[in-house]
Amino acid sequence: MFRSVLVANRGEIARRIFRTARRLGIETVAVCSDADLDSAHVRDADRAVRIGPAPATESYLSIPDLVAAALESGAEAVHPGYGFLSETAAFAEAVQAAGLIWIGPSPGAIRAMGLKDSARERMIAAGVPVTPGWQGDDGREATLFAAARDLGWPVLIKAAAGGGGRGIRRVDDGAGFAAALAACRREALAAFGDDRVLLERCIEAPRHIEVQVFGDAHGGLVHLYERDCTLQRRRQKVIEEAPAPGMTDEVRSAVCAAALAAARAVDYVGAGTVEFIADARDGLRADRIWFMEMNTRLQVEHPVTEAVTGVDLVEWQFRVAAGEPLPLSQDQIALDGWAVEARLCAEVPERGFIPSIGRLDHLRLPEDVRIDSGVEAGDEVGPHYDSLIAKLIAWGPTREGATEALAEACAGVETWPLQTNAAFLAKCLDDPDFLAGRIDTDFIEARIDRLATPAGPSPNLAGAAAEALGALAAEGASAPSAGLVGFRLNAPPRATVRLWCDGQPLVVHLDGEDVEADLLDTGEGLVLFESGTAFRFTTDPPDPEVGAGAGGDGSVVAPLPGRVVAVPVAEGARVARGDVLVVIEAMKMEHGLIAPFDGVVEGLSAAVGDQVREGEALARVRSEAP
């Protein structure tokens, strides 16, 4: 076994890899950009090396700087984590050329599976069923349009070099094809440096099923069963579970055999995931599951597989990279119980899931489930990288038990002042259709209004806030307390109290019963937590604030720092409510800013390539209503 490992990544996955390395007695080396000099993964590591400025292209995506950091630190091996350069063959080659151990599949396997079009051709040759589609060298719009029409609407346009749910657009008819193609190419070029695309027939009511595979350099190859990653938003996974609900032994055998055939076709060594799309209108059937792509790295959702198999996949990666055979044979790997994972992100669901960035002053995560976190209280969540705070993973002997435990864990998350999707996740997990396994990839979109709409505070919570504010006022408290404190009061009843909750007036009826709550004194009100949501209570109305996004006067401002990648309207253009005016790229996602009502565009100041600040005015819509 090697003695030291550099993790060419950051955040949650770097900390996760360090945890196994420490257990095995392997020295850990972190890399960091200027934005991450005091981040949690740097504090976790035995040593850290700065690799460049905050932009990922100048740090975490810089192959020369990463290899130089590994050599400077004396690390013997390099683990790429997921994302960034984890599926870049040139990085693997550079690591090996420097005389270091690459913890991952061979550059040839990465290259073979990295391009969706060539991967499809290889899978067809290997006898693995693939989704009906088109790929070719002729990338002219007319050629692609004709191919899409022949496949039959709806179709998916996919980046040939894509991954992670980016560079994909669904097109329902010919009218939207040109715009979707342009957007897909733009996103693909920005994310992967390659704007080539392929087409696939869009499967209705699809399920996303994937199989964890693992190979060694001695010819060993096993699967560790399947995961279901169907609950997605904008093709980004939100909740994952293992095993897949509704999976029969017959279908499991067929899909796992197909995954092994796919891995065998590229002589796969290391951890990999073969992803399939399933037409699940009549349940999971072996003849309605098709190969979609292979991810030649460790997946974000790998903990659910670890939970149901008892395997540490990172340890297996280390051992295989060191030349050891697989620790277990296929007949020694068994499923045990059920595991569900939710991705906790700093974002605002009711505002289109825009990232919530800044300093995370308060963070409390549940203690009765597995937590793989990327940040701690006091850390910054910045605009340069993704907004993942932590992954919450619950295990139980049954799907019902695991899901219930995870829903309770999400409801117990506390963060301030940054907002998260914790309440949204809890609602997803409590949905009757999810609990019954009636899911497809449009599950969230079909219920978005209900799932993303925030709930108000319960009467009990409002009562606790009123009592606490009253007690503080009676004590003459004005300075903020040190942090979260417990509060309990049995006060004489008062008829009603008028408060403000998150800027909205609230009348609270008090009955004098015991009130119990945890609260955070911010100096500008009290924050109380309930069902994954933070509520700020004050006794005075808030000062007028300028909100980001679309204002009541028709102003459209940047909701977060980013780069303008598209401006699909012109000054003086007539637009309808909901039309996209400006598209900003930030935190690896595109965010469309829309018209707040019907009208005419004026004051358009955004141009493609502009770097914009949070709150910066980009356009205004003038209403023509009488």
Side-chain angles (χ1 to χ4, degrees):
M1 179 65 69
F2 41 84
R3 293 170 297 178
S4 57
V5 60
L6 178 142
V7 177
N9 217 297
R10 64 179 301 280
E12 174 272 323
I13 188 57
R15 302 184 80 194
R16 159 70 188 95
I17 296 166
F18 291 159
R19 188 164 65 244
T20 291
R22 282 194 300 271
R23 181 171 60 80
L24 297 177
I26 299 171
E27 185 180 23
T28 58
V29 181
V31 293
C32 59
S33 70
D34 289 342
D36 282 339
L37 291 174
D38 188 34
S39 64
H41 82 275
V42 170
R43 297 193 297 270
D44 274 1
D46 295 316
R47 284 180 290 159
V49 181
R50 175 192 174 274
I51 50 172
T57 53
E58 302 175 52
S59 51
Y60 297 104
L61 292 174
S62 173
I63 293 176
D65 289 328
L66 289 167
V67 173
L71 294 173
E72 174 190 335
S73 68
E76 297 179 3
V78 173
H79 194 306
Y82 55 69
F84 291 133
L85 294 170
S86 61
E87 294 181 278
T88 302
F91 183 39
E93 289 170 337
V95 168
Q96 292 174 339
L100 305 171
I101 296 171
W102 168 253
I103 302 177
S106 69
I110 295 173
R111 194 168 277 117
M113 288 302 196
L115 297 176
K116 287 186 171 67
D117 50 1
S118 61
R120 281 173 54 89
E121 294 171 358
R122 191 178 290 265
M123 293 302 99
I124 292 170
V128 178
V130 302
T131 312
W134 175 94
Q135 68 262 5
D137 296 328
D138 186 352
R140 292 176 299 173
E141 181 180 324
T143 302
L144 292 165
F145 181 85
R149 185 182 56 210
D150 292 343
L151 278 173
W153 311 107
V155 299
L156 294 179
I157 307 173
K158 287 186 163 186
R166 288 172 290 166
I168 302 177
R169 292 293 186 279
R170 170 178 169 143
V171 187
D172 291 312
D173 54 50
F177 186 83
L181 176 61
C184 186
R185 280 178 164 159
R186 182 176 64 243
E187 187 171 296
L189 186 63
F192 315 113
D194 186 342
D195 68 353
R196 293 179 304 112
V197 301
L198 58 84
L199 304 175
E200 285 183 359
R201 181 183 298 164
C202 187
I203 307 302
E204 300 293 345
R207 292 264 301 273
H208 183 130
I209 308 293
E210 60 185 35
V211 177
Q212 178 74 60
V213 296
F214 222 111
D216 64 26
H218 306 280
L221 182 65
V222 299
H223 68 77
L224 292 95
Y225 303 100
E226 83 283 351
R227 299 184 286 256
D228 190 299
C229 305
T230 296
L231 256 65
Q232 304 176 8
R233 191 190 67 81
R234 294 180 64 179
R235 307 197 182 280
Q236 296 289 312
K237 299 168 186 175
V238 175
I239 292 173
E240 304 100 351
E241 57 185 309
M247 180 66 73
T248 65
D249 290 340
E250 176 188 3
V251 177
R252 175 175 291 124
S253 178
V255 73
C256 289
L260 291 175
R264 203 172 288 115
V266 293
D267 298 323
Y268 200 81
V269 174
T273 297
V274 184
E275 301 196 345
F276 298 87
I277 194 77
D279 180 345
R281 287 174 293 180
D282 299 317
L284 294 176
R285 289 175 36 176
D287 62 346
R288 292 188 181 177
I289 299 180
W290 300 278
F291 170 85
M292 187 165 55
E293 65 181 1
M294 183 174 187
N295 289 317
T296 53
R297 55 170 167 80
L298 196 67
Q299 292 282 88
V300 180
E301 58 272 18
H302 76 273
V304 294
T305 294
E306 294 182 324
V308 296
T309 61
V311 167
D312 183 330
L313 291 174
V314 174
E315 178 180 345
W316 277 33
Q317 286 187 298
F318 286 165
R319 295 194 180 283
V320 166
E324 298 180 21
L326 291 172
L328 298 176
S329 61
Q330 189 66 70
D331 60 3
Q332 294 176 307
I333 304 170
L335 282 172
D336 178 25
W338 214 284
V340 191
E341 172 180 304
R343 302 187 187 190
L344 179 70
C345 297
E347 59 189 16
V348 190
E350 63 266 31
R351 292 180 56 200
F353 294 86
I354 65 168
S356 179
I357 60 176
R359 179 182 166 90
L360 186 59
D361 291 332
H362 172 73
L363 173 65
R364 175 181 284 183
L365 298 174
E367 298 179 351
D368 51 354
V369 297
R370 171 176 168 176
I371 301 292
D372 287 9
S373 66
V375 298
E376 296 175 347
D379 288 345
E380 291 277 337
V381 177
H384 303 288
Y385 318 113
D386 67 55
S387 59
L388 182 67
I389 289 179
K391 301 181 312 197
L392 283 61
I393 306 100
W395 179 92
T398 64
R399 183 174 188 263
E400 180 183 13
T403 302
E404 182 179 354
L406 186 58
E408 291 178 359
C410 290
V413 168
E414 298 180 3
T415 64
W416 182 262
L418 302 191
Q419 300 181 60
T420 74
N421 62 341
F424 165 80
L425 293 170
K427 289 181 182 178
C428 289
L429 292 161
D430 281 335
D431 186 274
D433 286 328
F434 176 79
L435 294 173
R438 294 189 294 267
I439 53 177
D440 59 43
T441 55
D442 290 327
F443 179 93
I444 288 176
E445 187 61 33
R447 299 162 177 79
I448 193 65
D449 289 343
R450 177 169 54 81
L451 296 175
T453 301
S458 69
N460 284 342
L461 193 77
E467 295 283 13
L469 285 167
L472 289 174
E475 296 171 2
S478 57
S481 65
L484 191 72
V485 297
F487 176 80
R488 183 180 181 92
L489 182 68
N490 186 359
R494 288 177 288 171
T496 59
V497 174
R498 185 177 178 85
L499 301 177
W500 295 81
C501 178
D502 296 329
Q504 299 298 315
L506 186 68
V507 175
V508 182
H509 299 278
L510 300 175
D511 55 16
E513 294 184 0
D514 282 355
V515 177
E516 230 178 303
D518 285 332
L519 55 86
L520 188 69
D521 188 342
T522 68
E524 298 178 348
L526 293 181
V527 175
L528 284 80
F529 302 95
E530 184 176 57
S531 302
T533 301
F535 298 96
R536 184 167 68 95
F537 295 90
T538 61
T539 54
D540 300 315
D543 293 331
E545 296 179 354
V546 178
D553 62 349
S555 60
V556 177
V557 301
L560 72 168
R563 181 174 64 91
V564 176
V565 296
V567 184
V569 298
E571 184 84 18
R574 294 183 181 277
V575 293
R577 181 178 182 270
D579 284 351
V580 176
L581 307 181
V582 180
V583 181
I584 293 176
E585 182 185 60
M587 301 185 87
K588 302 197 299 183
M589 297 289 290
E590 289 192 357
H591 306 273
L593 309 185
I594 62 174
F597 42 69
D598 297 353
V600 176
V601 177
E602 60 180 27
L604 184 63
S605 61
V608 174
D610 287 354
Q611 292 288 336
V612 298
R613 303 181 305 276
E614 180 179 1
E616 182 177 342
L618 304 179
R620 183 177 181 276
V621 177
R622 172 172 50 82
S623 174
E624 291 190 322

